[in-house]
């Protein structure tokens, strides 16, 4: 059976990459539909048909950001030791938040830590997204305790929160203009406190 309507005249991944950058630079609340359609090179009917409304476009952009710009998290979780996980995570984070040609900082931090009353769903969505990453780290550190790689008295959830707190701080510093070299030194210092 033939599909209905005309085929899309644009690449959805490229359009989402453009949306990621707009939301990353301007935050959720600061981004208009005109900003999105202009950056994505599509009109409003095409945006609605392909991605839904602004909120749904944002959620898809965050998923794309996680898949592309934060792919290092999955790689970090595969490292053989807890310390190697932490090192890979923080060092990769520094590179990601200071990538030339991309906005400095982190979309999930800058996209909506605060918002208007109407945008609280986005604030909660981003908080839940960050909590999911923290949970993945905690699970990996629980495995490290079970395998004897971490001492039995270590608290995996606290270690995970430590890493995501450091990475969030690094992202805030990057968005304020801190250099990659200075943030690498901060990450190295933070790793000295990690078991």
């Amino acid at each position: 059976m033939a599909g209905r309507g005309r085929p899309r005249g644009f690449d959805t991944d490229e359009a989402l990459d453009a949306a990621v950058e707009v939301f990353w630079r301007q935050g959720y609340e600061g981004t208009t539909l005109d900003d999105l359609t202009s950056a994505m090179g599509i009109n409003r009917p095409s945006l609605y048909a392909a991605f839904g409304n602004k909120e749904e476009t944002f959620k898809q952009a965050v998923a794309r950001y996680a898949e592309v710009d934060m792919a290092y998290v999955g790689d970090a979780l595969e490292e053989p030791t807890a310390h190697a996980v932490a090192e890979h995570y923080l060092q990769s984070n520094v590179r990601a938040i200071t990538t030339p040609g991309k906005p400095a900082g982190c979309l999930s931090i800058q996209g909506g830590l605060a918002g208007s009353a109407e945008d609280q769903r986005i604030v909660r969505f981003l908080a839940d997204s960050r909590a999911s990453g923290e949970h993945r780290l905690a699970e990996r550190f629980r495995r490290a305790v079970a395998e004897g790689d971490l001492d039995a008295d270590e608290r995996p959830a606290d270690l995970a929160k430590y890493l995501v707190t450091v990475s969030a701080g690094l992202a805030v510093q990057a968005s304020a203009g801190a250099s990659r070299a200075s943030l690498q030194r901060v990450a190295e210092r933070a790793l000295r406190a990690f078991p």
Side-chain angles (χ1 to χ4, degrees):
M1 180 180 290
R4 293 175 42 164
R6 292 185 310 200
R8 289 194 178 113
F10 62 92
D11 182 284
T12 55
D13 286 342
E14 287 178 11
L16 272 179
D17 290 341
V20 165
E21 186 154 335
V22 172
F23 284 124
W24 197 346
R25 287 187 192 283
Q26 299 176 199
Y28 178 79
E29 194 168 353
T31 298
T32 66
L33 286 173
D34 287 340
D35 295 331
L36 287 171
T37 56
S38 175
M40 297 166 86
I42 60 177
N43 59 29
R44 282 189 188 202
S46 294
L47 181 133
Y48 293 135
F51 306 108
N53 61 18
K54 177 181 166 181
E55 181 177 333
E56 290 305 313
T57 303
F58 180 74
K59 289 178 178 178
Q60 291 180 58
V62 169
R64 177 76 176 162
Y65 173 78
E67 175 188 340
V68 175
D69 296 283
M70 293 191 68
Y72 66 86
V73 175
D75 295 338
L77 293 170
E78 297 300 318
E79 291 289 338
T81 66
H83 196 277
V85 168
E87 183 173 12
H88 188 116
Y89 176 79
L90 288 181
Q91 293 295 343
S92 297
N93 175 256
V94 168
R95 287 189 296 277
I97 62 177
T98 60
T99 299
K102 292 198 174 195
C106 173
L107 171 62
S108 68
I109 301 293
Q110 289 154 236
L113 280 180
S116 66
E118 301 83 43
D119 294 334
Q120 289 307 299
R121 286 186 321 276
I122 293 301
V123 173
R124 172 76 352 229
F125 167 74
L126 289 172
D128 290 346
S129 295
R130 290 188 304 272
S132 174
E134 184 176 324
H135 177 75
R136 290 173 68 196
L137 284 166
E139 285 298 312
R140 176 62 182 85
F141 297 146
R142 280 186 195 90
R143 190 178 100 208
V145 169
E147 293 171 350
D149 175 45
L150 285 173
D151 290 341
D153 62 350
E154 288 291 350
R155 295 181 172 172
D158 290 350
L159 292 174
K161 186 163 295 294
Y162 172 71
L163 286 181
V164 298
T165 300
V166 170
S167 68
L170 291 168
V172 169
Q173 291 291 319
S175 68
S179 71
R180 177 178 283 187
S182 70
L183 296 178
Q184 285 174 327
R185 289 192 300 272
V186 171
E188 288 163 8
R189 180 165 290 278
L191 286 167
R192 290 200 291 271
F194 194 90

